Every structure is written in C-alpha cells, then in structure tokens.
Amino acid sequence: MADPFIRIEGVSKKFGTFQAVQDVSLTVAQGEIFSLLGGSGCGKTTLLRMLAGFEEPTEGRIFIDGQDMAGVPPWLRPVHMMFQSYALFPHMSVEKNVGYGLKHEDMTADQRKARVAEMLELVQLTPFGHRKPHQISGGQRQRVALARALARQPKLLLLDEPLAALDKKLREHTQFELMSIQERTGVTFIVVTHDQEEAMTLSDRIAVMDKGRVKQVGAPTEVYEYPNSKFVAGFIGSITAFPAKVSALAGDVATVQVAAFQASVQARAVPGLNVGQEVTLAVRPEKLVISQARPEGENVIAGQVKDLAYFGKDSLYRITLPSGELISVHSVNAGRSAGGRPDWDDQVYLSFAPSAAILLVE
Amino acid sequence: MMRNRIAHWLQGRGYRGVIIGLPYIWLLLFFFIPFCLVLAISFGSRTPTAPPFGYGGDHPWISFVGYSRLFHDDLYIRAFLVSLSNAAVATVLCLLLGYPMSLALTRVSASWRNILLMLVILPFWTSFLLRVYAWMGLMGKNSWFNGLLTDAYNLLTPATWHVTSIPMMHSNFAVVLVMVYTYLPFMILPLYANLERLDPVLDEAAMDLGSRPFRVFLDVTLPQSLPGIIAGAMLVFIPAAGELVIPTLVGDASSPMIGRVIADEFSSASDWPMAASVAIALLLLMVGPMMLYTHYQSKAEAGEEP
Amino acid sequence: MNRRPVFLITVMCFGFAFFYIPILSMMVYSFNGSRLATVWGGFSTKWYVSLLSNKQVGAALLLSLKIAVTSATAATILGTMAGITLARFRRFKGRTLFSGLVTAPLIMPEVITGISSLMLFILMAKFLGWPSSRGFTTVTLAHITFSMVFVTTIIQSRMLQADRAIEEAAMDLGSKPWAVLFDVTLPVIFPAILSGWLLAFTISLDDVVITSFTTGPGNTTLPLLIWSKVKLGVTPDINALATLTVLVVGCGVALAGYLLNRSEKRREADARLAYRAND
C-alpha cells in the first residue's frame, strides 16, 4: 500500500490551557476531496492552519507527500489556502493577485503571463483581469482566491468554509464548480466546514470532529448510514434516538427492547454486543414508513399524529409514541390527493426495516 | 559565511527582532532614560558645578529636600492648585461647549458634515502659538473686541461702575479662555468619534417606548458617550495642567502655573534637582488621569459600553 | 431624526464663531497700515513685504522645515514599526513597558519631555563628548521621539482594522515576512502612513516648548522666533505671518478634503460596478 499523500500523526495543539486539537490522526489520499466537519470550536480550523503552517503542532507530526512539515514556514510549504474572507490584495488587480505567488517559481515573464491567463480561464474570469477586488462581486472574488491558490499548482489546497458567505443559489453552483475544477486539476482538497450538507455533497470522505477530536472518518454514505456514535448520528442529518436494551442476538440481527415504543424491535447488530447491554436505538426520519393500516413485518409501532408540517414535496410528522415520547417521520408525498395521508390526531402505524435501525453503543 | 547567517536570521526571528527592536531601543534611549534621569536628579542636591547637581560630599547621597519643599513652600502648593484648577475649569468648559458641537456634527446632513469637520480640524493644524497670539490680539486693552465688550458692559451698568477697558490679559481668566480655545479640538475629536459610532436604532427604540428627545439623550446617548467624554476630558486636562506657553503669554506672573515653575527652576534658578522634583510630583499627580485616559480611549474607539 | 436640532446648531454656530473670530480679526489687522496693532490705520500690505524680505524669518523657516521633514520621515518609519508591533505581535517580553512608552508622551506635559531631553543631552555631552553643541541634531532627535508616538497610534489603529488574512495569504503564496511587509502590508495602509507623516510634520513645525529646551544659540526655529517676539506683545508682522500660515494650512486641508471626497466617490462607483458584474 503506497504511503498516503497527507499523513497527520497524533497531532495535538494547545493554546495556553485550552486544548484545541487532541491526538488527531488522519490520512488523505492524493486527488481526494476530504472534509473536516464540525461545529465552532471543534478544532477543524486549527488543524487546517497547522497544515498551512500558520500554527505548529504541540505534539505529533504532519507529512505532506512524504515530507515532514515540522518547522517548515508557510512560504516554503507546497500547500496553498483559500481563505474564508478571500483575503485578496486590495491594491492589486485580479491578474496581479492571481500571479502573486508565481514570482517564487522559476518561470519567465511570458510563462507567468500564460499561467495567469490559464487560471483565469479555469475560473471563467478572463474579461475581469484588470479589475481590482472591490470592483467585482463576492462570488467573483472567491473565484479569484481559488485561481490565486491554484496558480502555483500546489500539492494540497486548503479551503476554509468555502461556501459559507454565498447565498443559496450561488452555493449550489459553486459546489459543482469546485468539484469540476478539482477533477480537472487533480489537486488534493481539504475543506473545512460546519455545514453538513456542504460536506456531504462535496467530499469523497468526511472526518467529523468534536472538541478537538476526530469522531468518525468515512465516505458520506458511511457516515450517514453507519454513524459510530450519538454525536455523529445527531450531527449529520436528523435522527431520533431512544434508550434500548439488548434482549436477544441471532447472527447479525439483534432484538432490542425499547421502552419508548413499548415493544421489541429488530435491528442490525454491531460487533461486540452482549445480551442485556444498554444501547441506543436510532432511526432516521425518512426510514420510517407511516401508514393508517397495520402493516406486515417485525418492526411495527403504534402512535398518534401530534404535529405535521407540509412542505409540498414532502411532509414531516411528529408522532406520539405509546410512552408519550415523540418520534419524527419524514415522508415523500408520492400521491397527489390529500386522502390517504395522515392528519392531525390520526392513529397510525410506523414500520421500518431492521437494517434501517442503528444501534449505538456510545 | 557571516552574511549568510545574518540573512537567515533576518528572515526568521530577525524580522520580529528588527520591527520590535528599533522603535523600542529608540524610545528607551530618548524617552525612558531621560525620564529615569529626571527621577534620579530629583534625589540629588543643587551644586555649583556644571551640570548643577550632585550627590555626596557636602550633601546627602539621597536628598529629599526638593520633595519636602514641595509640601512646605507656599509657592509650589499654590502653583499646583492654580494649575489643577485652571486645567479643571478649562476641561469642564471644553466639555460644555464641545459636547453639543460634536453632537451637532453627527446630526447634520452628510454634505455639510465634511465641510464642518474640516473647519473644526483647520485650527488644529494651524500653529498653536499663533492661535494663542490671536487671542492676545483680542484681549488687549485697545483692541476692537475689548472695546465692544467694554461698551456693552458700560451699557448695562450704572455710571460709577464704568471702565475704559476690561482687564482680561495676564489673569487666570485669560489662561482658561485661551486653554479652552486651543484645546477644544482635542475634546471634539474623540467625542465625535464615539458619538458617530453609536447606533441610531437605539434612539429610535427609546422613542418608540415613549421617551421624549431630551430623555432619550439622557438615557441613551449620554451614557454611551461616556468613554468619549472621559477620553476627551483627559486629553485636555493632562496637558493643560502642565502648560507653559499659555501662562507665560497671557497668565498672571505672580501666581504661576506649575509648568512655568518647572521651567524657571530649571533655567533661571539653575536648580535641577528642584525642577526634577516638581516634574516628578506633577507626573505622579497625572498618573491617575493617564490611566483613566488609556482605559477609556480604547472603549471610545470601539463604541463599547463604559 | 427629522426635527432640526435648533439648540445644537446654535451652539455649533457659536462654537465656530469662537474658533474663527480671533483668527479673522488677526487676518484683517495684518493689513493694518498703523504700527499699533490695535488701532486701524488704513489698508496696507507693508507688513507682508517686510515679512517676506526678513532674512531672520527666512532662515528660521528654512531650519524649521529641515527639522520637520527629517523628523517626520524618521518618526513615520519608527512609528509605523511600533504600530505594527503593537497590532500584530501579541506576546513578547517587555510588551507592557513598550505599550507604556508609546502612550506616555502623548499625554505628558511637554515641559517635562523638554527638560528630560535636555538633561540627557547635557549629560551625554559631558560623559560621551557628543553632542558637543545643541541645534539641528538635538532638536530633530527630540522631535522624532515626541512625534513617533502619534504615528504609532494612527498606524496601530489602522492595522487592527486591516484584514490579517491578507498577510497570511501572501505568506501562504510563498513570500517571506519582509516581502510581505513591502508587497502587501505597507501598500494597504499607505493612507494611514501618509497622515502619520503629515501629523508628525505639523507637530514638529509647530513645536515651541521642546524645541526651546533642546536647541542652542544660533539655531532658532520659526516658532521660537515668533515666541520671542510675541512675549514682548502683539506686533503686526506676526499678524501677516499668521495669516499666511492660516491660508497655507487652509489650502492643505481643503485639498485633503477634496481628495478624500473624490476617492469616496470613486469607491461608490466601483461598488456599483461590482454589483452589476454579478452573475
């Protein structure tokens, strides 16, 4: 197995008494789009800055393409960053901004000009080369920042909350643009974001962080469908979770007793379970099927509709369970008529496949 | 080889070293050391040597004579009192005149504001000395201004009280008047900066809840401008207390201000230790106001709560 | 607020009258034919003529300008460094002392700064042999010290407002710290540096107290010349000088205001351009 392109080994960072990053170890493959996802204060930005060289780890080492980055200042690293505020040089034109880093490359003036033109074309800003940053729009400024960071063809590009400042429409457009540029240039991207939708759409793999530690690393589907903890399950997408007790184990099917349902249901077993163990059962709202007639199958719960919100293409129900607790159900409105859809105070049945139920140990 | 090492250092920690070091060394050399000298000399004794101070020999190594004279000799006590009171009165007057002016500047329309701000700044950039001089012209016995005031005074008073001219020069009144004149921009600028940063939405919220404009001013504007008031007041009070030029030109020579006393002790009396003692005493008095200034100046700039 | 604030405007008018009546009176009397500064003796420009041909005034003005330019330039360099230090370098040994050294001259009475500087120079002359005589050098050194702290305040506040990410971006793209300083940091804060220079220049040109302590015989600056004349009373040639000063400064301020106004208009135009370029 080839040495991974980026290797972060046991990295910690302490500011005075505050532990910002605690014993993080990650590997990133070349050409991957990798996201660091977490809320504010989780350490993702600090980790990014350590990759860029603006902070040095208190412990641990960082390797980029096999080279140990300890003590290497930012201006010598093969890493470039797209800053959250874009940080364009206000007194330089777009062209000068994009070409700024090139003077440290061994190129002739003509080669530099050609590279700048190439970059401007990549981000579709060719006619705006002579303008200054305050003469172009926010979305365009971001593209200049991207072109500037890519001009020197870095091995690694760091993106700090790239979509945070954009409005919704621009955000979707930029997301796809970023992915296509990455594909064309083949540069490894590491993105920092607090927006889980952003992470899910952009990335090949995500690292979910909380309080300075990495909670789970995996592809979006893996992190979404197979979260390893209550934190990750709750952070990505929505979920309702209940305490449960393992009553039986048969191969990869576990039977758990859930007090909230006042019933036993079957769920996908995770390794290391014991009978009698206290666990958490979690189900995503879209995995629950709501119906007014009792369906066939193992996992059926009775309940009453307490609240419903109609969004047009889908509806969100909040169902009161036998125990009095609430569970959320998300249902696509496949049919056109209102008849057949549950209404307030209706008695309904919820069912779900055993494979859709997640058992969480922590 | 050496050049390479210096170049390498310069790029790394040397950058910080130079940027921090150069101004630091300069200030240590030309500001801190002189200050320490003054402190040291204040404990010396007056000698007929050149420079006129010394330790030991006929005199004690550390002499407190200077400091004790400050407390016993009427001259110094009076000088301090006069200085502090003049400075205080000037500060209050600057505040009373400057606050409404600053407030007015924030309320006028944008096109007027630029011109008016320029008109406020213009005297600030003109020579300080010439501004004092301008008032000397007006206050003199034979000036048109004095004549106008005299006529007005004579109009309003019975014949037995009539005067040929109003004696304004060479008095504490003149000193305070000229101080207000020259220091007013120092009050207006920080006040204006503070007031400009206030959010007018808060005024509107107060009015919406039933307060009339004057109440809004008392409840909302005034408390928020407190940092600016204090910063401006200190910016006037502290230099005014130690003023030398104004009292020399228009002040009463028989009750000099402390700046004058320091200069006289130093030059005419050639008593360096005494001058140093008075200077240190003045500085000690100003420590409190200086700390007030630094504390409130940053708040005034940020527009925060006092 | 739609209501015109009558009270405030009245006070403001009074305030401006207070500011300008003395100056205007002085300007008017500079054309006074009579020698008595307080009695009008017909319109005359003779004081201007005598002023402009006065060699003493010329020499003093030249000296003042030389000192002002030198000290302003050095003060700007040192003050900019100090401002950058305070804004960017959060932790270093002796930072509190440095902060204090930078704030103290701003509010200390000038007479104390003056005698302390003089004491330093006299003692230096005694023990080190230099400076052997006081004049241009000593005055300039004292002026630099005094005015650099004003520049520091301006630069520090400007640096705190500037986006630090720009400097990081330059480093990220390969520039070492000194290159970042000259490529990015200084150009961006250039207007602040310019106003710092102007302020230091004005402070130096105008200074009386510190100059009087630190200068020596034969080296009289313009303010000192005026000071010695004015101590004797009001004279009409000073009126003329004052009028000229006010006019020169007035033009300068008006020019600055016009330039600021123009750059503001240009910024608005650029913002509109940016808005329309939206895709």
Side-chain angles (χ1 to χ4, degrees), chain C residues 2-29:
Chain C
N2 290 326
R3 287 174 51 258
R4 291 187 67 244
V6 175
F7 170 69
L8 292 178
I9 295 202
T10 316
V11 174
M12 191 169 69
C13 290
F14 175 72
F16 278 112
F18 178 59
F19 267 137
Y20 283 100
I21 287 182
I23 295 181
L24 291 172
S25 164
M26 197 170 60
M27 288 169 78
V28 166
Y29 271 89

mmCIF file of all heavy atoms in Angstrom, chain C residues 2-29:
data_model
loop_
_atom_site.group_PDB
_atom_site.id
_atom_site.type_symbol
_atom_site.label_atom_id
_atom_site.label_comp_id
_atom_site.label_asym_id
_atom_site.label_seq_id
_atom_site.Cartn_x
_atom_site.Cartn_y
_atom_site.Cartn_z
ATOM 1 N N ASN C 2 -35.937 63.805 12.090
ATOM 2 C CA ASN C 2 -36.341 64.814 11.123
ATOM 3 C C ASN C 2 -36.348 66.195 11.715
ATOM 4 O O ASN C 2 -36.192 67.188 11.026
ATOM 5 C CB ASN C 2 -37.719 64.457 10.580
ATOM 6 C CG ASN C 2 -37.644 63.224 9.691
ATOM 7 O OD1 ASN C 2 -36.656 63.017 9.011
ATOM 8 N ND2 ASN C 2 -38.667 62.393 9.692
ATOM 9 N N ARG C 3 -36.561 66.276 13.027
ATOM 10 C CA ARG C 3 -36.615 67.592 13.640
ATOM 11 C C ARG C 3 -35.243 68.242 13.583
ATOM 12 O O ARG C 3 -34.253 67.631 13.914
ATOM 13 C CB ARG C 3 -37.029 67.441 15.112
ATOM 14 C CG ARG C 3 -38.468 67.088 15.325
ATOM 15 C CD ARG C 3 -38.739 66.808 16.805
ATOM 16 N NE ARG C 3 -38.255 67.884 17.665
ATOM 17 C CZ ARG C 3 -37.133 67.840 18.374
ATOM 18 N NH1 ARG C 3 -36.365 66.788 18.342
ATOM 19 N NH2 ARG C 3 -36.767 68.844 19.143
ATOM 20 N N ARG C 4 -35.213 69.502 13.136
ATOM 21 C CA ARG C 4 -33.925 70.166 13.089
ATOM 22 C C ARG C 4 -33.507 70.502 14.510
ATOM 23 O O ARG C 4 -34.229 71.159 15.232
ATOM 24 C CB ARG C 4 -34.006 71.417 12.213
ATOM 25 C CG ARG C 4 -34.195 71.050 10.750
ATOM 26 C CD ARG C 4 -34.101 72.238 9.837
ATOM 27 N NE ARG C 4 -32.774 72.805 9.806
ATOM 28 C CZ ARG C 4 -32.491 74.021 10.229
ATOM 29 N NH1 ARG C 4 -33.428 74.780 10.735
ATOM 30 N NH2 ARG C 4 -31.270 74.491 10.164
ATOM 31 N N PRO C 5 -32.326 70.060 14.890
ATOM 32 C CA PRO C 5 -31.886 70.286 16.277
ATOM 33 C C PRO C 5 -31.410 71.723 16.460
ATOM 34 O O PRO C 5 -30.231 72.021 16.365
ATOM 35 C CB PRO C 5 -30.735 69.279 16.435
ATOM 36 C CG PRO C 5 -30.230 69.032 15.054
ATOM 37 C CD PRO C 5 -31.349 69.277 14.113
ATOM 38 N N VAL C 6 -32.363 72.574 16.747
ATOM 39 C CA VAL C 6 -32.065 74.009 16.797
ATOM 40 C C VAL C 6 -31.009 74.356 17.834
ATOM 41 O O VAL C 6 -30.055 75.074 17.573
ATOM 42 C CB VAL C 6 -33.362 74.796 17.078
ATOM 43 C CG1 VAL C 6 -33.054 76.265 17.256
ATOM 44 C CG2 VAL C 6 -34.332 74.598 15.936
ATOM 45 N N PHE C 7 -31.213 73.816 19.027
ATOM 46 C CA PHE C 7 -30.281 74.145 20.110
ATOM 47 C C PHE C 7 -28.863 73.767 19.733
ATOM 48 O O PHE C 7 -27.913 74.537 19.887
ATOM 49 C CB PHE C 7 -30.721 73.416 21.383
ATOM 50 C CG PHE C 7 -29.708 73.497 22.489
ATOM 51 C CD1 PHE C 7 -29.451 74.694 23.137
ATOM 52 C CD2 PHE C 7 -28.984 72.371 22.867
ATOM 53 C CE1 PHE C 7 -28.505 74.767 24.144
ATOM 54 C CE2 PHE C 7 -28.053 72.434 23.873
ATOM 55 C CZ PHE C 7 -27.813 73.634 24.521
ATOM 56 N N LEU C 8 -28.718 72.551 19.210
ATOM 57 C CA LEU C 8 -27.386 72.073 18.873
ATOM 58 C C LEU C 8 -26.736 72.932 17.807
ATOM 59 O O LEU C 8 -25.559 73.262 17.883
ATOM 60 C CB LEU C 8 -27.457 70.616 18.399
ATOM 61 C CG LEU C 8 -27.829 69.595 19.463
ATOM 62 C CD1 LEU C 8 -27.910 68.218 18.848
ATOM 63 C CD2 LEU C 8 -26.846 69.613 20.603
ATOM 64 N N ILE C 9 -27.537 73.312 16.810
ATOM 65 C CA ILE C 9 -26.961 74.093 15.720
ATOM 66 C C ILE C 9 -26.552 75.473 16.214
ATOM 67 O O ILE C 9 -25.533 76.022 15.807
ATOM 68 C CB ILE C 9 -27.945 74.177 14.537
ATOM 69 C CG1 ILE C 9 -28.142 72.783 13.966
ATOM 70 C CG2 ILE C 9 -27.433 75.130 13.483
ATOM 71 C CD1 ILE C 9 -28.621 72.739 12.552
ATOM 72 N N THR C 10 -27.339 76.023 17.142
ATOM 73 C CA THR C 10 -26.974 77.333 17.687
ATOM 74 C C THR C 10 -25.639 77.246 18.407
ATOM 75 O O THR C 10 -24.750 78.071 18.200
ATOM 76 C CB THR C 10 -28.033 77.805 18.712
ATOM 77 O OG1 THR C 10 -29.304 77.538 18.184
ATOM 78 C CG2 THR C 10 -27.856 79.268 19.020
ATOM 79 N N VAL C 11 -25.499 76.222 19.232
ATOM 80 C CA VAL C 11 -24.244 76.066 19.946
ATOM 81 C C VAL C 11 -23.097 75.884 18.972
ATOM 82 O O VAL C 11 -22.015 76.440 19.139
ATOM 83 C CB VAL C 11 -24.311 74.855 20.905
ATOM 84 C CG1 VAL C 11 -22.957 74.622 21.523
ATOM 85 C CG2 VAL C 11 -25.347 75.083 21.970
ATOM 86 N N MET C 12 -23.362 75.102 17.911
ATOM 87 C CA MET C 12 -22.311 74.854 16.941
ATOM 88 C C MET C 12 -21.875 76.144 16.261
ATOM 89 O O MET C 12 -20.685 76.386 16.065
ATOM 90 C CB MET C 12 -22.781 73.834 15.912
ATOM 91 C CG MET C 12 -21.650 73.349 15.042
ATOM 92 S SD MET C 12 -22.105 71.938 14.063
ATOM 93 C CE MET C 12 -23.237 72.670 12.940
ATOM 94 N N CYS C 13 -22.857 76.993 15.928
ATOM 95 C CA CYS C 13 -22.513 78.271 15.297
ATOM 96 C C CYS C 13 -21.698 79.129 16.247
ATOM 97 O O CYS C 13 -20.692 79.741 15.858
ATOM 98 C CB CYS C 13 -23.781 79.031 14.888
ATOM 99 S SG CYS C 13 -24.606 78.224 13.527
ATOM 100 N N PHE C 14 -22.118 79.147 17.503
ATOM 101 C CA PHE C 14 -21.360 79.903 18.493
ATOM 102 C C PHE C 14 -19.940 79.366 18.583
ATOM 103 O O PHE C 14 -18.962 80.111 18.642
ATOM 104 C CB PHE C 14 -22.059 79.825 19.853
ATOM 105 C CG PHE C 14 -21.275 80.477 20.961
ATOM 106 C CD1 PHE C 14 -21.160 81.857 21.030
ATOM 107 C CD2 PHE C 14 -20.626 79.696 21.910
ATOM 108 C CE1 PHE C 14 -20.424 82.458 22.044
ATOM 109 C CE2 PHE C 14 -19.904 80.290 22.924
ATOM 110 C CZ PHE C 14 -19.790 81.672 22.992
ATOM 111 N N GLY C 15 -19.846 78.039 18.577
ATOM 112 C CA GLY C 15 -18.537 77.406 18.666
ATOM 113 C C GLY C 15 -17.636 77.797 17.504
ATOM 114 O O GLY C 15 -16.470 78.134 17.682
ATOM 115 N N PHE C 16 -18.197 77.768 16.307
ATOM 116 C CA PHE C 16 -17.386 78.137 15.149
ATOM 117 C C PHE C 16 -16.999 79.608 15.181
ATOM 118 O O PHE C 16 -15.901 79.984 14.774
ATOM 119 C CB PHE C 16 -18.113 77.793 13.854
ATOM 120 C CG PHE C 16 -17.953 76.347 13.472
ATOM 121 C CD1 PHE C 16 -19.041 75.487 13.502
ATOM 122 C CD2 PHE C 16 -16.722 75.853 13.108
ATOM 123 C CE1 PHE C 16 -18.884 74.152 13.172
ATOM 124 C CE2 PHE C 16 -16.559 74.522 12.781
ATOM 125 C CZ PHE C 16 -17.648 73.669 12.818
ATOM 126 N N ALA C 17 -17.929 80.433 15.684
ATOM 127 C CA ALA C 17 -17.588 81.852 15.832
ATOM 128 C C ALA C 17 -16.422 82.004 16.788
ATOM 129 O O ALA C 17 -15.451 82.717 16.528
ATOM 130 C CB ALA C 17 -18.808 82.627 16.337
ATOM 131 N N PHE C 18 -16.511 81.288 17.895
ATOM 132 C CA PHE C 18 -15.456 81.294 18.899
ATOM 133 C C PHE C 18 -14.118 80.890 18.271
ATOM 134 O O PHE C 18 -13.069 81.487 18.542
ATOM 135 C CB PHE C 18 -15.866 80.327 20.019
ATOM 136 C CG PHE C 18 -14.871 80.180 21.125
ATOM 137 C CD1 PHE C 18 -14.465 81.263 21.882
ATOM 138 C CD2 PHE C 18 -14.367 78.927 21.428
ATOM 139 C CE1 PHE C 18 -13.560 81.109 22.911
ATOM 140 C CE2 PHE C 18 -13.465 78.770 22.466
ATOM 141 C CZ PHE C 18 -13.060 79.857 23.212
ATOM 142 N N PHE C 19 -14.161 79.880 17.397
ATOM 143 C CA PHE C 19 -12.952 79.425 16.739
ATOM 144 C C PHE C 19 -12.363 80.495 15.837
ATOM 145 O O PHE C 19 -11.175 80.748 15.825
ATOM 146 C CB PHE C 19 -13.253 78.213 15.845
ATOM 147 C CG PHE C 19 -13.051 76.891 16.503
ATOM 148 C CD1 PHE C 19 -13.978 75.880 16.329
ATOM 149 C CD2 PHE C 19 -11.936 76.639 17.273
ATOM 150 C CE1 PHE C 19 -13.791 74.643 16.935
ATOM 151 C CE2 PHE C 19 -11.754 75.414 17.877
ATOM 152 C CZ PHE C 19 -12.687 74.408 17.705
ATOM 153 N N TYR C 20 -13.223 81.084 15.016
ATOM 154 C CA TYR C 20 -12.715 81.850 13.893
ATOM 155 C C TYR C 20 -12.645 83.351 14.061
ATOM 156 O O TYR C 20 -11.919 84.008 13.330
ATOM 157 C CB TYR C 20 -13.516 81.495 12.630
ATOM 158 C CG TYR C 20 -13.079 80.164 12.078
ATOM 159 C CD1 TYR C 20 -13.826 79.010 12.323
ATOM 160 C CD2 TYR C 20 -11.887 80.055 11.373
ATOM 161 C CE1 TYR C 20 -13.387 77.786 11.857
ATOM 162 C CE2 TYR C 20 -11.453 78.847 10.904
ATOM 163 C CZ TYR C 20 -12.201 77.712 11.152
ATOM 164 O OH TYR C 20 -11.758 76.515 10.693
ATOM 165 N N ILE C 21 -13.410 83.906 15.010
ATOM 166 C CA ILE C 21 -13.331 85.365 15.144
ATOM 167 C C ILE C 21 -11.917 85.831 15.470
ATOM 168 O O ILE C 21 -11.421 86.774 14.831
ATOM 169 C CB ILE C 21 -14.361 85.885 16.182
ATOM 170 C CG1 ILE C 21 -15.745 85.784 15.569
ATOM 171 C CG2 ILE C 21 -14.051 87.316 16.581
ATOM 172 C CD1 ILE C 21 -16.858 86.306 16.443
ATOM 173 N N PRO C 22 -11.224 85.189 16.409
ATOM 174 C CA PRO C 22 -9.854 85.651 16.659
ATOM 175 C C PRO C 22 -8.972 85.552 15.412
ATOM 176 O O PRO C 22 -8.183 86.453 15.127
ATOM 177 C CB PRO C 22 -9.351 84.696 17.752
ATOM 178 C CG PRO C 22 -10.567 84.131 18.375
ATOM 179 C CD PRO C 22 -11.599 84.089 17.316
ATOM 180 N N ILE C 23 -9.116 84.465 14.680
ATOM 181 C CA ILE C 23 -8.276 84.272 13.505
ATOM 182 C C ILE C 23 -8.597 85.314 12.447
ATOM 183 O O ILE C 23 -7.706 85.929 11.854
ATOM 184 C CB ILE C 23 -8.459 82.852 12.946
ATOM 185 C CG1 ILE C 23 -7.951 81.826 13.952
ATOM 186 C CG2 ILE C 23 -7.743 82.702 11.624
ATOM 187 C CD1 ILE C 23 -8.070 80.407 13.485
ATOM 188 N N LEU C 24 -9.888 85.531 12.224
ATOM 189 C CA LEU C 24 -10.276 86.506 11.210
ATOM 190 C C LEU C 24 -9.834 87.907 11.599
ATOM 191 O O LEU C 24 -9.357 88.684 10.765
ATOM 192 C CB LEU C 24 -11.790 86.465 11.002
ATOM 193 C CG LEU C 24 -12.294 85.191 10.337
ATOM 194 C CD1 LEU C 24 -13.812 85.143 10.350
ATOM 195 C CD2 LEU C 24 -11.780 85.113 8.906
ATOM 196 N N SER C 25 -9.972 88.215 12.880
ATOM 197 C CA SER C 25 -9.543 89.527 13.347
ATOM 198 C C SER C 25 -8.059 89.723 13.065
ATOM 199 O O SER C 25 -7.614 90.774 12.580
ATOM 200 C CB SER C 25 -9.841 89.654 14.843
ATOM 201 O OG SER C 25 -9.127 90.726 15.385
ATOM 202 N N MET C 26 -7.295 88.688 13.355
ATOM 203 C CA MET C 26 -5.857 88.743 13.129
ATOM 204 C C MET C 26 -5.545 88.941 11.647
ATOM 205 O O MET C 26 -4.669 89.720 11.272
ATOM 206 C CB MET C 26 -5.279 87.412 13.609
ATOM 207 C CG MET C 26 -3.819 87.400 13.832
ATOM 208 S SD MET C 26 -3.366 85.881 14.667
ATOM 209 C CE MET C 26 -3.901 84.667 13.490
ATOM 210 N N MET C 27 -6.318 88.227 10.802
ATOM 211 C CA MET C 27 -6.083 88.343 9.366
ATOM 212 C C MET C 27 -6.396 89.745 8.882
ATOM 213 O O MET C 27 -5.666 90.334 8.082
ATOM 214 C CB MET C 27 -6.941 87.314 8.622
ATOM 215 C CG MET C 27 -6.433 85.894 8.795
ATOM 216 S SD MET C 27 -7.589 84.653 8.199
ATOM 217 C CE MET C 27 -7.326 84.757 6.453
ATOM 218 N N VAL C 28 -7.487 90.297 9.399
ATOM 219 C CA VAL C 28 -7.864 91.647 8.978
ATOM 220 C C VAL C 28 -6.787 92.642 9.387
ATOM 221 O O VAL C 28 -6.344 93.477 8.596
ATOM 222 C CB VAL C 28 -9.223 92.038 9.591
ATOM 223 C CG1 VAL C 28 -9.451 93.521 9.458
ATOM 224 C CG2 VAL C 28 -10.343 91.256 8.934
ATOM 225 N N TYR C 29 -6.348 92.557 10.628
ATOM 226 C CA TYR C 29 -5.369 93.508 11.109
ATOM 227 C C TYR C 29 -3.995 93.350 10.480
ATOM 228 O O TYR C 29 -3.135 94.210 10.624
ATOM 229 C CB TYR C 29 -5.258 93.432 12.636
ATOM 230 C CG TYR C 29 -6.242 94.346 13.306
ATOM 231 C CD1 TYR C 29 -7.523 93.909 13.614
ATOM 232 C CD2 TYR C 29 -5.919 95.670 13.569
ATOM 233 C CE1 TYR C 29 -8.438 94.753 14.178
ATOM 234 C CE2 TYR C 29 -6.822 96.531 14.143
ATOM 235 C CZ TYR C 29 -8.098 96.071 14.441
ATOM 236 O OH TYR C 29 -9.010 96.918 14.990
#
